[in-house]
Amino acid sequence: MVPTQECSTTDCGRPAAFATRSEPAWCLDCIDNLVRAGGLEPAEPFTKPSTWRLTTCSTCGVQAHYLLKYIVGNNAAGIATCRACHWKAWPGNRGPRSGATPDREKIARRLDEFGYELIDPLDEVSDDGNGPLVAKCRQCGRIWAARMADFGWHCNCSRNSRSSNPASPRAGRVLLSESDSPALQWWDHERNDEATFRTVTVRATRACQWRCPECGLRFEAKPATMTDRPTCPDCSTRRQEEWEIEYAQWKTTPIADVPELAAAWADDADPRKVMVANGTQRRFRCPKEHYPRLTPIRFLKAGCPQCRGAKTATAKKWLADTSPEIASQWHPTFNGTHTPQNVAWNSQRTVWWRADCCGHEWPDTVRARDKYQRLRCPACRTFLGSLAWHDPGLAAEWSPANPITAWNVRPHTSTPFVPEWICATNPGHTWQAPLSSRSNGAECPDCREAGKSRVELAHHAAAEALFGNARSGVAMKDKAFTTRKSWTTDISVSVNGHTLVIEYDGAYWHRAPAKVLVDERKSRDLLAAGFCVVRLREDDLPALGIDHPRYREVRVHSTVARPGPVMEDIRDWVTSLTA
């Protein structure tokens, strides 16, 4: 049943057009009234709050798209929503030069570079685009009024933001009870129930109860604010008061009375007349013969900044380790001695790149490659983090009939259409399935209905007879998986506390190049998770080329199956590894 709630307008009483958990919701008539209160007239029906809605300004007549939340916020602040009116009246709008007319073609060409189609350069616009322009995004059709500089940031639909900083990836859904967070020592078991402790995550925003291990204060706070660096309100206030007292003492203490400062003093001023806390930068000399200029109290508390920088330099995150996809496009000859192995992932250095898809070459900073649109190639307009990069085997089954390519969609994104797929094993099999289900391991429905081959079932029976705990078709998940969130395994066995995964690769189902890619990515993910992996490669299937101590390939023949001896050989191998 679709959740419903009452309109938030006082005395309205009608059902709201949408439902929310904590935000107001309104009926269709009240939504239109809110739009009109913002000086706009609806130009199309309302669908949902997250959809840009076309409106017409009641003052200037300019049509543009706005979000309901944006209109409501402006209404609360007493601000008219129309951006065309706003930029016309903006004090920084210089308008056209005397006797000059806007160069429409020049403005249109500039907008086209940003992916927009010029609709109208308003009367006050200057030839450099300083005033308001009305333009439409070529990709999503959104119309908005803004300055040329604002269009340079590109439309929101072309943003390809990442979920976390690549140098310090955000933790997934990690339970606080299973983490190594210092906040565990602060958890108040008396005032929180056991169910909360078992289910709360490190990034939860619900209010929980805590107890300071230092002063015993009990207080309420969110786990998200306590996970990394737990703090006590009373202790923080006390430390601030103590610091203020200490700082007042440093204001009357000369440099000469502090041995560590006097020994490092290299300034021309008299250390007997300069106070430790005086706010003026002074020259010091550290044991490494660095001569930094900083305030005395800063040098006393933090030491030499150059020495600190040398320590942190060893912890730099290099591009090759942090962003392998960007590193793979590093130009092989244009960057001199600089390589992805010695350039930081967020460096502002401008280097050369080469797209492997079309050969396009261009200069850009390393940091800019991972910002805003995060394009893999500015010429092809493909973006980073796509399905084609993460899972090329699955991307090979992406149908060309889909409106976008596998280079323009993420593995678990929600698409406005249901993607079509073409089976790599049998191109005659085509079907539609959500992207997330395919990335979670769903295979071709026609092939799945065919079931397991007789030879594969015989090997599973032999594994069950020999190991006693062989399971078939178990879906495995692990944080170490990088290609897919879960993999379904053919045979899984527990041996000496370790998990052994046995994959049977039939010659018919696993010969296609896309399936070879999937088999390789699957094996590497399973190995990264700490499993022992054996692939039974049928007949003349080529080897996958994986070199790992916990990986082994065994050649089997469909016409002369020997499941018993094969499993005994595997048992001896895995026992020697886990003994």
Side-chain angles (χ1 to χ4, degrees), residues 97 102-113 118 127-129 148:
R97 295 192 301 268
D103 187 342
R104 187 183 182 95
E105 293 185 0
K106 177 182 177 181
I107 295 173
R109 287 195 302 270
R110 186 63 173 160
L111 285 172
D112 185 65
E113 295 177 7
L118 177 64
D127 60 352
D128 62 356
M148 180 67 77

Side-chain angles (χ1 to χ4, degrees), residues 210-484:
W210 311 85
R211 186 177 186 275
C212 176
E214 183 176 348
C215 69
L217 175 71
R218 283 186 160 96
F219 60 96
E220 184 178 270
K222 299 175 182 178
T225 62
M226 295 287 291
T227 298
D228 297 327
R229 188 177 297 175
T231 56
C232 166
D234 282 5
C235 291
S236 297
T237 302
R238 175 175 51 81
R239 291 191 183 97
Q240 179 62 29
E241 293 173 351
E242 292 173 350
W243 167 245
E244 291 175 357
I245 295 173
E246 180 185 356
Y247 190 78
Q249 293 175 346
W250 288 125
K251 284 183 176 181
T252 59
T253 304
I255 299 293
D257 290 352
V258 184
E260 51 265 51
L261 291 180
W265 188 254
D267 200 82
D268 294 335
D270 188 348
R272 295 170 297 178
K273 298 180 180 180
V274 178
M275 301 300 114
V276 175
N278 66 353
T280 303
Q281 292 189 347
R282 301 293 181 176
R283 193 165 183 256
F284 292 89
R285 181 185 65 232
C286 80
K288 297 289 187 180
E289 294 299 320
H290 299 144
Y291 289 85
R293 291 188 64 87
L294 65 169
T295 60
I297 196 167
R298 178 67 176 170
F299 187 82
L300 177 65
K301 296 296 183 180
C304 173
Q306 289 176 265
C307 293
R308 292 200 314 273
K311 292 180 181 179
T312 58
T314 58
K316 277 188 176 180
K317 304 291 186 179
W318 306 117
L319 179 64
D321 302 323
T322 306
S323 305
E325 182 176 8
I326 297 177
S328 69
Q329 296 185 296
W330 191 270
H331 200 287
T333 57
F334 287 4
N335 294 316
T337 59
H338 299 297
T339 67
Q341 288 74 27
N342 61 23
V343 172
W345 74 275
N346 59 349
S347 171
Q348 296 287 358
R349 181 186 302 277
T350 299
V351 296
W352 279 87
W353 310 90
R354 184 166 69 185
D356 47 4
C357 52
C358 63
H360 177 65
E361 299 174 344
W362 76 101
D364 203 352
T365 65
V366 179
R367 181 70 184 93
R369 289 298 315 278
D370 202 32
K371 293 177 66 177
Y372 308 123
Q373 291 183 297
R374 300 182 66 243
L375 293 175
R376 181 179 175 86
C377 174
C380 299
R381 308 298 293 179
T382 55
F383 61 66
L384 298 171
S386 65
L387 173 68
W389 165 260
H390 280 289
D391 196 344
L394 181 58
E397 296 189 325
W398 182 267
S399 173
N402 292 320
I404 55 178
T405 70
W407 288 103
N408 295 99
V409 66
R410 284 174 168 170
H412 293 276
T413 194
S414 176
T415 56
F417 60 94
V418 181
E420 181 179 279
W421 307 88
I422 300 176
C423 180
T425 302
N426 187 343
H429 298 164
T430 60
W431 75 104
Q432 289 183 319
L435 184 55
S436 58
S437 68
R438 291 300 325 268
S439 294
N440 283 331
E443 295 291 346
C444 171
D446 292 329
C447 294
R448 184 176 65 248
E449 290 173 1
K452 298 180 180 293
S453 67
R454 176 183 54 80
V455 182
E456 182 178 345
L457 292 173
H459 281 85
H460 175 258
E464 191 171 27
L466 186 62
F467 295 102
N469 60 356
R471 302 174 64 193
S472 176
V474 176
M476 293 187 174
K477 295 183 178 181
D478 197 277
K479 298 177 183 177
F481 291 174
T482 58
T483 301
R484 300 185 185 179

